[in-house]
Amino acid sequence: MILTVTLNTALDITYRVRSLRPHASHRITEVTERPGGKGLNVARVLARLGHEVTVTGFVGGATGRVVQEQLTGTPGVVDALVPVTGPTRRTIAVVDEHTGDTTQLNEPGPTVTSAEWSAFQEAYEDLLAAASAVALCGSLPPGVPVGAYAGLVRSARAAGVPVLLDTSGEALRRGVAARPDVIKPNADELAELTGSHEPSRATQDARRRGARTVVASLGEAGLLAVTPEGRWRATPPARLHGNPTGAGDAAVAGLLSGLVEELPWPDRLARAAALSAASVVAPVAGEFDRGVYEELLGRVAVTGEATAA
């Protein structure tokens, strides 16, 4: 079982409009709702790849009930979310059909009490016992300690479970110091962590700060991985237009599935890059176009070399 942690779960609402214009009224052409937050998006992609996935994190209020009701109908995903008093947040994505651009509006999330945080930590420790890998994903809701991910990384390492961390800011800075197996920042998050805008230098710096492996998402330039086994870059053959909201989450799913299947790093990166690109043409985050994915998988260019033994 792969475990994904989404401390700040959400109900993702996507609106499609013909053209988004400031200071104007808009007629919405399509509305979709999905359980959201980065870890839930990762879980849905993993389930479509054939993996058993358990999701945990916080859920509360009427919005939280909608999230859990929709998770019930998601094949391959087991709900182990922990209840809180405050309401689960909503996120709004507005897709401009004319340009393909997406505007994102994110609520902050519920305020988590110390008792609720303690209850989550106990549940997490129990879930680790059956996990083959764990992904810690997304922002921290109010009330959760800024060093929360560092503690969760240490718990996973103590249990012998490989852990991938995908967050940003101070939560990432502290989490890296706990020595996660993989971090997956985008270019901006990597620059914020290291102070360097040069990806090769920044990934090396992030490893010196504690991450065993760094896989950086570089937009159109693909993925750059610096690992103990070597360094590689994976580049999709062409840019695809659509909704990029869940592209990074699809890449995380590709990396996690490759990890538990023990694929060589070039194959993991090719899968992650192809999934990321195929998610852009899907209507909402947490999905991917299987035909596009299968067509791209053999065309992703992976360059680099293994470290000499």
Side-chain angles (χ1 to χ4, degrees):
M1 173 269 286
I2 298 175
L3 177 64
T4 72
V5 175
T6 313
L7 296 179
N8 210 3
T9 56
L11 180 65
D12 284 349
I13 303 168
T14 302
Y15 294 143
R16 301 185 72 88
V17 298
R18 298 197 185 283
S19 179
L20 182 62
R21 304 181 308 281
H23 317 298
S25 296
H26 297 79
R27 186 176 297 279
I28 296 168
T29 60
E30 182 182 356
V31 181
T32 56
E33 288 186 351
R34 292 288 189 280
K38 293 178 72 64
L40 295 188
N41 294 338
V42 171
R44 288 203 301 278
V45 175
L46 283 169
R48 285 200 63 199
L49 291 172
H51 290 274
E52 295 182 1
V53 191
T54 295
V55 297
T56 191
F58 294 114
V59 68
T63 305
R65 287 193 291 275
V66 174
V67 167
Q68 291 189 292
E69 288 169 2
Q70 294 196 10
L71 279 176
T72 300
T74 305
V77 176
V78 175
D79 174 4
L81 294 167
V82 176
V84 293
T85 302
T88 294
R89 66 185 178 135
R90 296 161 297 178
T91 67
I92 311 295
V94 184
V95 180
D96 184 321
E97 295 177 339
H98 177 68
T99 64
D101 292 335
T102 300
T103 299
Q104 191 81 17
L105 304 171
N106 296 329
E107 295 179 359
T111 298
V112 176
T113 67
S114 58
E116 290 166 342
W117 174 236
S118 296
F120 169 79
Q121 289 175 291
E122 291 181 11
Y124 175 73
E125 296 275 356
D126 290 342
L127 289 166
L128 284 174
S132 56
V134 58
L136 308 174
C137 303
S139 62
L140 301 177
V144 172
V146 70
Y149 281 136
L152 299 182
V153 168
R154 285 191 288 268
S155 293
R157 287 176 56 82
V161 179
V163 56
L164 183 153
L165 177 62
D166 184 15
T167 187
S168 60
E170 188 63 20
L172 175 60
R173 189 180 308 278
R174 298 200 187 192
V176 165
R179 305 186 67 80
D181 294 274
V182 184
I183 63 170
K184 195 219 65 66
N186 62 31
D188 291 339
E189 292 162 351
L190 185 62
E192 183 182 10
L193 174 66
T194 65
S196 174
H197 290 272
E198 202 289 305
S200 182
R201 182 181 301 120
T203 49
Q204 293 282 14
D205 186 12
R207 287 198 69 213
R208 284 192 292 270
R209 291 168 185 260
R212 177 175 171 82
T213 290
V214 181
V215 181
S217 296
L218 303 177
E220 295 178 39
L223 301 173
L224 173 64
V226 180
T227 83
E229 293 79 24
R231 54 185 300 131
W232 293 271
R233 185 186 289 267
T235 308
R239 180 184 179 186
L240 299 178
H241 296 278
N243 180 3
T245 306
D249 304 331
V252 168
L255 295 173
L256 275 176
S257 62
L259 185 156
V260 299
E261 294 172 29
E262 299 183 343
L263 296 181
W265 266 108
D267 293 342
R268 294 187 206 181
L269 290 176
R271 177 182 292 181
L275 281 171
S276 181
S279 75
V280 171
V281 298
V284 293
E287 296 184 2
F288 65 95
D289 186 304
R290 187 171 292 276
V292 171
Y293 163 65
E294 292 175 352
E295 191 272 334
L296 288 177
L297 186 58
R299 298 176 57 208
V300 173
V302 181
T303 58
E305 59 185 3
T307 302

